[in-house]
Amino acid sequence: MTINYSLLEETHFIEDIGLFFEQMGMPRMAGRILGVLLISDPPAQSITDIGHRLNASKSSISIMTRLLTENGLIERVASPMPRRDYFRFKPGGWVIYMRQWLELMAGLHKITERGLALVQDKPDAMKERLLEAHDLFSFLEENFPLLLEELRQKRVLHQNNGK
Amino acid sequence: MTINYSLLEETHFIEDIGLFFEQMGMPRMAGRILGVLLISDPPAQSITDIGHRLNASKSSISIMTRLLTENGLIERVASPMPRRDYFRFKPGGWVIYMRQWLELMAGLHKITERGLALVQDKPDAMKERLLEAHDLFSFLEENFPLLLEELRQKRVLHQNNGK
DNA sequence: CTCAACGTTTTGTAAATACTAAACGTTATG
DNA sequence: CATAACGTTTAGTATTTACAAAACGTTGAG
């Protein structure tokens, strides 16, 4: 009996993406699905396909593809076969994901402002704690998008050079 | 009967930090503790103090302060009273927290390299998905620390001006 | 028209999680 | 020396969560 080593390595890769997602506080299965869609050939796979690849139930896949879609990491694509929904990794997905993360952080920036209002009559030393968060997150809110834009331009350039 | 409005607002603030933590995938109680330590007067509070403020059990506080300490957001400080452990928000805590977040992202960058090895024989179009993650996260790994340093210098400058 | 293949939704369940309560060890105080 | 205050650890519990199985609705093929 022969062992398909690359299949093993694929599974390992898929599981690692799953573990990464778990660390980020989301369901491991969502990460596994993304893992499949990052290396699948062809890139677009149906829910049934993914379920077979992962030995997971259709219901899980259905729910988690919805979650991934909301997060902007995957998208539905027109199906070559009728009566099937295909999903693929969404180009630019990670950037969208980062932007959502940034929004979460920006939320904290608002909360710290309310905190500062609570300690407004106290000495500056008491405000420093909150200012630290406030300054960091408003700085990120302002500069992180620039960083992403910088990356985008760098990639466009690189792609053109590759031609 | 009079109502202590600022206490209500404090509780609201504390709970919002808790909810933020929950969204980040960590226990809400940890966020509530941080919330207390962001507005408490004095900044350093004992486990018992925090427990009273939150109507929460000492065991929770004990475990969650450990978690927050590991995350670099709070720290033990020398106790004025004997036989008590005091905690306070750790100066620079959010930056430490960001750095840990970045390490997590950098981990993904390694995983995608393994993914690229799996599709090395396939056309470039199949690699683009993985390259997108790879490029983004190695870019972040390289440039995010610079962003944090930029902020640090800006804050130092601002502090000096304030004097 | 019937059946089969899909994806979705609902229901059920096992495991993980976030807490509390109780037991414990340590040390300062009376 | 005894007791009380404190933090830690362990044990217990209730809720949440991540999944699977089953029921359901839809649509295309025969």
Side-chain angles (χ1 to χ4, degrees), chain A residues 34 38 68 70-74 89-104 144-156, chain B residues 101 105 108 128-140:
Chain A
L34 185 68
L38 281 175
L68 287 167
E70 285 165 7
N71 283 340
L73 282 168
I74 68 174
F89 173 75
K90 182 171 176 173
W94 290 109
V95 174
I96 297 171
Y97 185 74
M98 284 292 113
R99 274 203 269 264
Q100 288 186 356
W101 171 83
L102 186 64
E103 271 178 44
L104 204 67
F144 198 78
L146 299 176
L147 205 67
L148 292 179
E149 176 57 23
E150 202 180 312
L151 169 69
R152 198 186 64 80
Q153 293 195 356
K154 193 179 150 193
R155 294 199 91 229
V156 168
Chain B
W101 171 81
M105 294 297 154
L108 192 56
E128 178 54 25
R129 293 168 285 177
L130 286 159
L131 273 177
E132 195 175 305
H134 178 270
D135 291 357
L136 170 57
F137 292 112
S138 50
F139 182 79
L140 277 186

Tab-separated table of all heavy atoms in Angstrom, chain A residues 34 38 68 70-74 89-104 144-156, chain B residues 101 105 108 128-140:
chain	number	residue	atom	x	y	z
A	34	LEU	N	-11.296	27.557	4.634
A	34	LEU	CA	-10.421	28.511	3.949
A	34	LEU	C	-9.148	27.814	3.497
A	34	LEU	O	-8.664	28.047	2.384
A	34	LEU	CB	-10.080	29.682	4.873
A	34	LEU	CG	-9.265	30.777	4.184
A	34	LEU	CD1	-10.111	31.477	3.134
A	34	LEU	CD2	-8.730	31.786	5.190
A	38	LEU	N	-7.647	27.630	-0.307
A	38	LEU	CA	-6.371	28.284	-0.601
A	38	LEU	C	-5.478	27.405	-1.479
A	38	LEU	O	-4.553	27.902	-2.120
A	38	LEU	CB	-5.640	28.645	0.692
A	38	LEU	CG	-6.121	29.899	1.417
A	38	LEU	CD1	-5.398	30.073	2.739
A	38	LEU	CD2	-5.940	31.138	0.548
A	68	LEU	N	-17.483	32.993	6.575
A	68	LEU	CA	-16.306	33.429	5.820
A	68	LEU	C	-16.681	34.485	4.783
A	68	LEU	O	-15.906	35.410	4.513
A	68	LEU	CB	-15.640	32.231	5.146
A	68	LEU	CG	-14.865	31.278	6.063
A	68	LEU	CD1	-14.539	29.984	5.333
A	68	LEU	CD2	-13.603	31.930	6.584
A	70	GLU	N	-19.155	36.643	5.087
A	70	GLU	CA	-19.351	37.885	5.833
A	70	GLU	C	-18.013	38.541	6.181
A	70	GLU	O	-17.899	39.760	6.193
A	70	GLU	CB	-20.134	37.609	7.118
A	70	GLU	CG	-21.619	37.360	6.896
A	70	GLU	CD	-22.290	36.739	8.116
A	70	GLU	OE1	-21.637	36.635	9.170
A	70	GLU	OE2	-23.470	36.349	8.000
A	71	ASN	N	-17.030	37.717	6.472
A	71	ASN	CA	-15.711	38.246	6.802
A	71	ASN	C	-14.936	38.716	5.569
A	71	ASN	O	-13.827	39.227	5.694
A	71	ASN	CB	-14.884	37.189	7.540
A	71	ASN	CG	-15.314	37.059	8.985
A	71	ASN	OD1	-15.935	37.950	9.551
A	71	ASN	ND2	-14.980	35.935	9.588
A	72	GLY	N	-15.504	38.472	4.404
A	72	GLY	CA	-14.873	38.943	3.184
A	72	GLY	C	-13.727	38.087	2.697
A	72	GLY	O	-12.974	38.505	1.817
A	73	LEU	N	-13.596	36.881	3.249
A	73	LEU	CA	-12.451	36.048	2.875
A	73	LEU	C	-12.747	35.133	1.696
A	73	LEU	O	-11.834	34.727	0.980
A	73	LEU	CB	-11.994	35.212	4.079
A	73	LEU	CG	-11.173	35.986	5.111
A	73	LEU	CD1	-11.007	35.186	6.387
A	73	LEU	CD2	-9.800	36.328	4.530
A	74	ILE	N	-13.994	34.789	1.510
A	74	ILE	CA	-14.369	33.964	0.349
A	74	ILE	C	-15.585	34.594	-0.324
A	74	ILE	O	-16.213	35.502	0.227
A	74	ILE	CB	-14.684	32.505	0.740
A	74	ILE	CG1	-15.973	32.420	1.572
A	74	ILE	CG2	-13.523	31.886	1.508
A	74	ILE	CD1	-16.413	30.990	1.860
A	89	PHE	N	-11.674	31.484	-2.710
A	89	PHE	CA	-11.026	32.552	-1.972
A	89	PHE	C	-11.271	33.859	-2.713
A	89	PHE	O	-11.164	33.909	-3.937
A	89	PHE	CB	-9.527	32.280	-1.848
A	89	PHE	CG	-8.777	33.426	-1.250
A	89	PHE	CD1	-8.850	33.686	0.106
A	89	PHE	CD2	-8.011	34.263	-2.048
A	89	PHE	CE1	-8.174	34.752	0.659
A	89	PHE	CE2	-7.333	35.333	-1.504
A	89	PHE	CZ	-7.419	35.577	-0.146
A	90	LYS	N	-11.597	34.909	-1.971
A	90	LYS	CA	-11.916	36.185	-2.605
A	90	LYS	C	-10.651	37.028	-2.767
A	90	LYS	O	-9.980	37.323	-1.772
A	90	LYS	CB	-12.909	36.938	-1.727
A	90	LYS	CG	-13.350	38.266	-2.291
A	90	LYS	CD	-14.482	38.814	-1.455
A	90	LYS	CE	-14.915	40.185	-1.912
A	90	LYS	NZ	-16.123	40.620	-1.178
A	91	PRO	N	-10.331	37.398	-3.984
A	91	PRO	CA	-9.148	38.229	-4.189
A	91	PRO	C	-9.226	39.488	-3.318
A	91	PRO	O	-10.267	40.147	-3.282
A	91	PRO	CB	-9.227	38.580	-5.685
A	91	PRO	CG	-10.008	37.469	-6.291
A	91	PRO	CD	-10.993	37.042	-5.252
A	92	GLY	N	-8.155	39.778	-2.638
A	92	GLY	CA	-8.157	40.919	-1.728
A	92	GLY	C	-8.788	40.600	-0.387
A	92	GLY	O	-8.991	41.484	0.443
A	93	GLY	N	-9.110	39.330	-0.177
A	93	GLY	CA	-9.829	38.931	1.025
A	93	GLY	C	-9.119	39.291	2.322
A	93	GLY	O	-9.745	39.756	3.275
A	94	TRP	N	-7.830	39.093	2.341
A	94	TRP	CA	-7.100	39.350	3.581
A	94	TRP	C	-7.093	40.839	3.928
A	94	TRP	O	-7.130	41.228	5.100
A	94	TRP	CB	-5.665	38.838	3.480
A	94	TRP	CG	-5.585	37.353	3.472
A	94	TRP	CD1	-5.253	36.550	2.422
A	94	TRP	CD2	-5.860	36.471	4.574
A	94	TRP	NE1	-5.299	35.228	2.800
A	94	TRP	CE2	-5.667	35.152	4.110
A	94	TRP	CE3	-6.249	36.667	5.898
A	94	TRP	CZ2	-5.851	34.036	4.926
A	94	TRP	CZ3	-6.430	35.554	6.709
A	94	TRP	CH2	-6.232	34.260	6.223
A	95	VAL	N	-7.048	41.648	2.904
A	95	VAL	CA	-7.074	43.095	3.146
A	95	VAL	C	-8.419	43.498	3.747
A	95	VAL	O	-8.488	44.286	4.697
A	95	VAL	CB	-6.807	43.865	1.839
A	95	VAL	CG1	-6.985	45.353	2.048
A	95	VAL	CG2	-5.391	43.567	1.342
A	96	ILE	N	-9.486	42.926	3.196
A	96	ILE	CA	-10.813	43.185	3.754
A	96	ILE	C	-10.866	42.752	5.212
A	96	ILE	O	-11.381	43.451	6.083
A	96	ILE	CB	-11.895	42.434	2.942
A	96	ILE	CG1	-11.921	42.947	1.505
A	96	ILE	CG2	-13.253	42.581	3.607
A	96	ILE	CD1	-12.792	42.126	0.587
A	97	TYR	N	-10.291	41.603	5.456
A	97	TYR	CA	-10.244	41.062	6.813
A	97	TYR	C	-9.504	42.018	7.749
A	97	TYR	O	-9.954	42.301	8.865
A	97	TYR	CB	-9.564	39.698	6.769
A	97	TYR	CG	-9.551	38.962	8.072
A	97	TYR	CD1	-10.705	38.376	8.577
A	97	TYR	CD2	-8.381	38.825	8.800
A	97	TYR	CE1	-10.699	37.696	9.777
A	97	TYR	CE2	-8.357	38.141	9.997
A	97	TYR	CZ	-9.524	37.581	10.476
A	97	TYR	OH	-9.508	36.909	11.663
A	98	MET	N	-8.394	42.526	7.284
A	98	MET	CA	-7.606	43.474	8.078
A	98	MET	C	-8.396	44.751	8.359
A	98	MET	O	-8.349	45.300	9.445
A	98	MET	CB	-6.317	43.836	7.330
A	98	MET	CG	-5.251	42.774	7.354
A	98	MET	SD	-4.575	42.540	9.020
A	98	MET	CE	-5.150	40.889	9.392
A	99	ARG	N	-9.129	45.189	7.362
A	99	ARG	CA	-9.914	46.408	7.544
A	99	ARG	C	-10.987	46.205	8.603
A	99	ARG	O	-11.279	47.106	9.388
A	99	ARG	CB	-10.552	46.823	6.214
A	99	ARG	CG	-9.622	47.674	5.368
A	99	ARG	CD	-10.416	48.514	4.386
A	99	ARG	NE	-10.604	47.819	3.120
A	99	ARG	CZ	-9.835	47.986	2.055
A	99	ARG	NH1	-8.825	48.825	2.117
A	99	ARG	NH2	-10.071	47.345	0.946
A	100	GLN	N	-11.575	44.998	8.620
A	100	GLN	CA	-12.585	44.720	9.644
A	100	GLN	C	-11.945	44.680	11.021
A	100	GLN	O	-12.525	45.141	12.008
A	100	GLN	CB	-13.301	43.404	9.328
A	100	GLN	CG	-14.231	43.532	8.138
A	100	GLN	CD	-15.060	42.288	7.909
A	100	GLN	OE1	-14.912	41.282	8.592
A	100	GLN	NE2	-15.932	42.343	6.923
A	101	TRP	N	-10.759	44.121	11.074
A	101	TRP	CA	-10.026	44.095	12.330
A	101	TRP	C	-9.774	45.523	12.804
A	101	TRP	O	-9.937	45.846	13.988
A	101	TRP	CB	-8.709	43.346	12.126
A	101	TRP	CG	-7.774	43.434	13.284
A	101	TRP	CD1	-7.807	42.666	14.405
A	101	TRP	CD2	-6.670	44.332	13.425
A	101	TRP	NE1	-6.796	43.042	15.240
A	101	TRP	CE2	-6.083	44.052	14.684
A	101	TRP	CE3	-6.125	45.331	12.637
A	101	TRP	CZ2	-4.972	44.760	15.142
A	101	TRP	CZ3	-5.026	46.032	13.091
A	101	TRP	CH2	-4.459	45.739	14.338
A	102	LEU	N	-9.401	46.367	11.875
A	102	LEU	CA	-9.122	47.760	12.207
A	102	LEU	C	-10.358	48.462	12.756
A	102	LEU	O	-10.267	49.254	13.695
A	102	LEU	CB	-8.601	48.493	10.968
A	102	LEU	CG	-8.125	49.917	11.202
A	102	LEU	CD1	-6.918	49.927	12.122
A	102	LEU	CD2	-7.787	50.615	9.887
A	103	GLU	N	-11.496	48.161	12.182
A	103	GLU	CA	-12.747	48.754	12.672
A	103	GLU	C	-13.003	48.386	14.122
A	103	GLU	O	-13.469	49.204	14.920
A	103	GLU	CB	-13.920	48.300	11.809
A	103	GLU	CG	-14.182	49.205	10.613
A	103	GLU	CD	-15.319	48.684	9.750
A	103	GLU	OE1	-16.352	48.265	10.314
A	103	GLU	OE2	-15.174	48.672	8.515
A	104	LEU	N	-12.697	47.145	14.436
A	104	LEU	CA	-12.837	46.688	15.819
A	104	LEU	C	-11.965	47.524	16.733
A	104	LEU	O	-12.384	47.970	17.803
A	104	LEU	CB	-12.426	45.213	15.896
A	104	LEU	CG	-12.986	44.386	17.043
A	104	LEU	CD1	-14.489	44.234	16.884
A	104	LEU	CD2	-12.319	43.029	17.099
A	144	PHE	N	-2.956	52.848	9.430
A	144	PHE	CA	-2.987	51.475	8.937
A	144	PHE	C	-3.491	51.388	7.495
A	144	PHE	O	-2.909	50.663	6.680
A	144	PHE	CB	-3.825	50.605	9.874
A	144	PHE	CG	-3.589	49.140	9.722
A	144	PHE	CD1	-2.479	48.540	10.280
A	144	PHE	CD2	-4.483	48.355	8.999
A	144	PHE	CE1	-2.253	47.182	10.140
A	144	PHE	CE2	-4.263	46.998	8.850
A	144	PHE	CZ	-3.150	46.413	9.423
A	145	PRO	N	-4.555	52.122	7.168
A	145	PRO	CA	-5.007	52.087	5.768
A	145	PRO	C	-3.912	52.522	4.799
A	145	PRO	O	-3.812	51.986	3.684
A	145	PRO	CB	-6.170	53.081	5.756
A	145	PRO	CG	-6.693	53.065	7.146
A	145	PRO	CD	-5.466	52.912	8.007
A	146	LEU	N	-3.090	53.474	5.209
A	146	LEU	CA	-1.978	53.917	4.362
A	146	LEU	C	-0.997	52.776	4.134
A	146	LEU	O	-0.478	52.578	3.032
A	146	LEU	CB	-1.258	55.101	5.008
A	146	LEU	CG	-2.103	56.354	5.233
A	146	LEU	CD1	-1.284	57.419	5.965
A	146	LEU	CD2	-2.619	56.894	3.905
A	147	LEU	N	-0.773	52.024	5.199
A	147	LEU	CA	0.124	50.877	5.110
A	147	LEU	C	-0.402	49.859	4.095
A	147	LEU	O	0.341	49.343	3.257
A	147	LEU	CB	0.253	50.235	6.496
A	147	LEU	CG	1.518	49.445	6.790
A	147	LEU	CD1	2.713	50.358	6.824
A	147	LEU	CD2	1.392	48.696	8.110
A	148	LEU	N	-1.701	49.629	4.152
A	148	LEU	CA	-2.307	48.677	3.221
A	148	LEU	C	-2.207	49.184	1.781
A	148	LEU	O	-1.959	48.402	0.853
A	148	LEU	CB	-3.777	48.437	3.589
A	148	LEU	CG	-4.024	47.688	4.899
A	148	LEU	CD1	-5.522	47.544	5.152
A	148	LEU	CD2	-3.367	46.318	4.887
A	149	GLU	N	-2.400	50.465	1.634
A	149	GLU	CA	-2.307	51.059	0.293
A	149	GLU	C	-0.878	50.928	-0.247
A	149	GLU	O	-0.663	50.612	-1.430
A	149	GLU	CB	-2.730	52.527	0.357
A	149	GLU	CG	-2.585	53.287	-0.953
A	149	GLU	CD	-3.365	52.646	-2.093
A	149	GLU	OE1	-4.338	51.892	-1.812
A	149	GLU	OE2	-3.007	52.863	-3.252
A	150	GLU	N	0.072	51.159	0.631
A	150	GLU	CA	1.482	51.020	0.277
A	150	GLU	C	1.761	49.610	-0.245
A	150	GLU	O	2.426	49.421	-1.268
A	150	GLU	CB	2.313	51.279	1.537
A	150	GLU	CG	3.751	51.692	1.305
A	150	GLU	CD	4.446	51.922	2.647
A	150	GLU	OE1	3.864	52.620	3.510
A	150	GLU	OE2	5.542	51.386	2.834
A	151	LEU	N	1.213	48.641	0.458
A	151	LEU	CA	1.392	47.246	0.044
A	151	LEU	C	0.765	47.001	-1.321
A	151	LEU	O	1.363	46.360	-2.198
A	151	LEU	CB	0.757	46.317	1.084
A	151	LEU	CG	0.628	44.852	0.656
A	151	LEU	CD1	2.003	44.196	0.571
A	151	LEU	CD2	-0.272	44.083	1.598
A	152	ARG	N	-0.424	47.531	-1.510
A	152	ARG	CA	-1.135	47.323	-2.769
A	152	ARG	C	-0.299	47.813	-3.943
A	152	ARG	O	-0.125	47.120	-4.948
A	152	ARG	CB	-2.479	48.045	-2.739
A	152	ARG	CG	-3.483	47.560	-3.784
A	152	ARG	CD	-4.730	48.420	-3.785
A	152	ARG	NE	-4.447	49.793	-4.183
A	152	ARG	CZ	-4.291	50.195	-5.452
A	152	ARG	NH1	-4.393	49.331	-6.427
A	152	ARG	NH2	-4.030	51.455	-5.730
A	153	GLN	N	0.246	49.030	-3.781
A	153	GLN	CA	1.048	49.599	-4.865
A	153	GLN	C	2.307	48.786	-5.116
A	153	GLN	O	2.719	48.585	-6.254
A	153	GLN	CB	1.395	51.044	-4.537
A	153	GLN	CG	0.164	51.931	-4.538
A	153	GLN	CD	0.508	53.398	-4.589
A	153	GLN	OE1	1.687	53.774	-4.548
A	153	GLN	NE2	-0.514	54.237	-4.681
A	154	LYS	N	2.888	48.318	-4.047
A	154	LYS	CA	4.090	47.495	-4.171
A	154	LYS	C	3.787	46.219	-4.953
A	154	LYS	O	4.567	45.796	-5.795
A	154	LYS	CB	4.593	47.149	-2.766
A	154	LYS	CG	5.993	46.577	-2.728
A	154	LYS	CD	6.414	46.290	-1.292
A	154	LYS	CE	7.373	45.124	-1.252
A	154	LYS	NZ	7.573	44.608	0.117
A	155	ARG	N	2.622	45.658	-4.692
A	155	ARG	CA	2.248	44.414	-5.363
A	155	ARG	C	1.957	44.650	-6.836
A	155	ARG	O	2.341	43.856	-7.690
A	155	ARG	CB	1.027	43.790	-4.689
A	155	ARG	CG	1.281	43.318	-3.266
A	155	ARG	CD	0.228	42.330	-2.844
A	155	ARG	NE	0.595	40.974	-3.135
A	155	ARG	CZ	-0.179	40.098	-3.757
A	155	ARG	NH1	-1.374	40.447	-4.160
A	155	ARG	NH2	0.228	38.868	-3.976
A	156	VAL	N	1.253	45.723	-7.130
A	156	VAL	CA	0.944	46.050	-8.528
A	156	VAL	C	2.240	46.177	-9.316
A	156	VAL	O	2.395	45.621	-10.401
A	156	VAL	CB	0.144	47.374	-8.614
A	156	VAL	CG1	0.078	47.863	-10.055
A	156	VAL	CG2	-1.260	47.175	-8.061
B	101	TRP	N	-0.025	40.230	18.801
B	101	TRP	CA	-0.944	40.032	17.682
B	101	TRP	C	-0.152	39.865	16.384
B	101	TRP	O	-0.442	38.993	15.564
B	101	TRP	CB	-1.885	41.237	17.589
B	101	TRP	CG	-2.739	41.258	16.359
B	101	TRP	CD1	-3.896	40.566	16.171
B	101	TRP	CD2	-2.484	41.981	15.153
B	101	TRP	NE1	-4.380	40.825	14.920
B	101	TRP	CE2	-3.537	41.683	14.265
B	101	TRP	CE3	-1.486	42.848	14.735
B	101	TRP	CZ2	-3.624	42.225	12.990
B	101	TRP	CZ3	-1.565	43.391	13.462
B	101	TRP	CH2	-2.623	43.075	12.607
B	105	MET	N	0.154	36.818	13.415
B	105	MET	CA	0.040	37.031	11.974
B	105	MET	C	1.273	36.502	11.247
B	105	MET	O	1.174	35.903	10.181
B	105	MET	CB	-0.130	38.526	11.686
B	105	MET	CG	-1.421	39.100	12.193
B	105	MET	SD	-2.851	38.356	11.388
B	105	MET	CE	-4.104	38.591	12.632
B	108	LEU	N	1.084	32.971	10.403
B	108	LEU	CA	0.343	32.663	9.181
B	108	LEU	C	1.249	32.786	7.959
B	108	LEU	O	1.129	32.023	6.995
B	108	LEU	CB	-0.852	33.607	9.055
B	108	LEU	CG	-1.869	33.234	7.998
B	108	LEU	CD1	-2.392	31.831	8.217
B	108	LEU	CD2	-3.018	34.217	7.995
B	128	GLU	N	-1.456	32.641	-6.735
B	128	GLU	CA	-1.803	34.018	-6.377
B	128	GLU	C	-2.505	34.114	-5.029
B	128	GLU	O	-2.204	34.982	-4.215
B	128	GLU	CB	-2.677	34.616	-7.483
B	128	GLU	CG	-3.169	36.020	-7.236
B	128	GLU	CD	-2.054	37.017	-6.923
B	128	GLU	OE1	-0.902	36.782	-7.329
B	128	GLU	OE2	-2.343	38.020	-6.232
B	129	ARG	N	-3.456	33.199	-4.778
B	129	ARG	CA	-4.186	33.189	-3.510
B	129	ARG	C	-3.249	33.181	-2.315
B	129	ARG	O	-3.408	33.931	-1.348
B	129	ARG	CB	-5.043	31.919	-3.405
B	129	ARG	CG	-6.157	31.803	-4.345
B	129	ARG	CD	-6.709	30.392	-4.328
B	129	ARG	NE	-5.853	29.427	-5.021
B	129	ARG	CZ	-6.086	28.125	-5.099
B	129	ARG	NH1	-7.149	27.607	-4.506
B	129	ARG	NH2	-5.277	27.322	-5.751
B	130	LEU	N	-2.276	32.290	-2.388
B	130	LEU	CA	-1.365	32.132	-1.259
B	130	LEU	C	-0.364	33.280	-1.189
B	130	LEU	O	0.021	33.723	-0.105
B	130	LEU	CB	-0.634	30.799	-1.369
B	130	LEU	CG	-1.499	29.586	-1.037
B	130	LEU	CD1	-0.909	28.321	-1.633
B	130	LEU	CD2	-1.651	29.443	0.466
B	131	LEU	N	0.033	33.748	-2.356
B	131	LEU	CA	0.979	34.874	-2.382
B	131	LEU	C	0.374	36.117	-1.741
B	131	LEU	O	1.074	36.893	-1.106
B	131	LEU	CB	1.376	35.179	-3.834
B	131	LEU	CG	2.548	34.369	-4.377
B	131	LEU	CD1	2.791	34.700	-5.844
B	131	LEU	CD2	3.808	34.631	-3.552
B	132	GLU	N	-0.924	36.266	-1.924
B	132	GLU	CA	-1.586	37.432	-1.353
B	132	GLU	C	-1.430	37.460	0.165
B	132	GLU	O	-1.065	38.491	0.750
B	132	GLU	CB	-3.068	37.392	-1.733
B	132	GLU	CG	-3.758	38.711	-1.519
B	132	GLU	CD	-5.192	38.683	-2.006
B	132	GLU	OE1	-5.419	38.350	-3.186
B	132	GLU	OE2	-6.086	38.995	-1.210
B	133	ALA	N	-1.679	36.314	0.776
B	133	ALA	CA	-1.491	36.230	2.229
B	133	ALA	C	-0.023	36.371	2.578
B	133	ALA	O	0.344	37.112	3.491
B	133	ALA	CB	-2.041	34.904	2.745
B	134	HIS	N	0.793	35.678	1.843
B	134	HIS	CA	2.227	35.695	2.131
B	134	HIS	C	2.780	37.115	2.078
B	134	HIS	O	3.491	37.571	2.986
B	134	HIS	CB	2.962	34.801	1.136
B	134	HIS	CG	4.436	34.785	1.313
B	134	HIS	ND1	5.257	35.678	0.654
B	134	HIS	CD2	5.235	34.025	2.084
B	134	HIS	CE1	6.508	35.446	1.017
B	134	HIS	NE2	6.524	34.445	1.874
B	135	ASP	N	2.425	37.830	1.021
B	135	ASP	CA	2.947	39.187	0.848
B	135	ASP	C	2.408	40.129	1.920
B	135	ASP	O	3.145	40.949	2.469
B	135	ASP	CB	2.580	39.730	-0.540
B	135	ASP	CG	3.327	38.986	-1.635
B	135	ASP	OD1	4.144	38.107	-1.289
B	135	ASP	OD2	3.083	39.262	-2.821
B	136	LEU	N	1.105	39.998	2.204
B	136	LEU	CA	0.518	40.884	3.201
B	136	LEU	C	1.168	40.693	4.561
B	136	LEU	O	1.584	41.658	5.211
B	136	LEU	CB	-0.989	40.630	3.308
B	136	LEU	CG	-1.708	41.318	4.473
B	136	LEU	CD1	-1.517	42.828	4.437
B	136	LEU	CD2	-3.189	40.986	4.466
B	137	PHE	N	1.305	39.468	4.980
B	137	PHE	CA	1.748	39.226	6.348
B	137	PHE	C	3.248	39.422	6.518
B	137	PHE	O	3.699	39.821	7.594
B	137	PHE	CB	1.281	37.859	6.827
B	137	PHE	CG	-0.199	37.795	6.994
B	137	PHE	CD1	-0.983	37.002	6.165
B	137	PHE	CD2	-0.828	38.578	7.942
B	137	PHE	CE1	-2.357	36.976	6.300
B	137	PHE	CE2	-2.200	38.565	8.083
B	137	PHE	CZ	-2.972	37.758	7.260
B	138	SER	N	4.005	39.165	5.463
B	138	SER	CA	5.431	39.479	5.614
B	138	SER	C	5.650	40.990	5.538
B	138	SER	O	6.544	41.525	6.191
B	138	SER	CB	6.276	38.734	4.563
B	138	SER	OG	5.752	38.900	3.279
B	139	PHE	N	4.782	41.653	4.792
B	139	PHE	CA	4.837	43.120	4.759
B	139	PHE	C	4.508	43.697	6.132
B	139	PHE	O	5.209	44.591	6.632
B	139	PHE	CB	3.851	43.646	3.711
B	139	PHE	CG	3.866	45.139	3.550
B	139	PHE	CD1	4.859	45.768	2.807
B	139	PHE	CD2	2.882	45.917	4.128
B	139	PHE	CE1	4.864	47.146	2.656
B	139	PHE	CE2	2.881	47.296	3.977
B	139	PHE	CZ	3.872	47.908	3.246
B	140	LEU	N	3.474	43.173	6.738
B	140	LEU	CA	3.099	43.635	8.071
B	140	LEU	C	4.211	43.359	9.070
B	140	LEU	O	4.566	44.207	9.882
B	140	LEU	CB	1.821	42.933	8.533
B	140	LEU	CG	0.482	43.493	8.056
B	140	LEU	CD1	-0.657	42.760	8.728
B	140	LEU	CD2	0.401	44.984	8.320
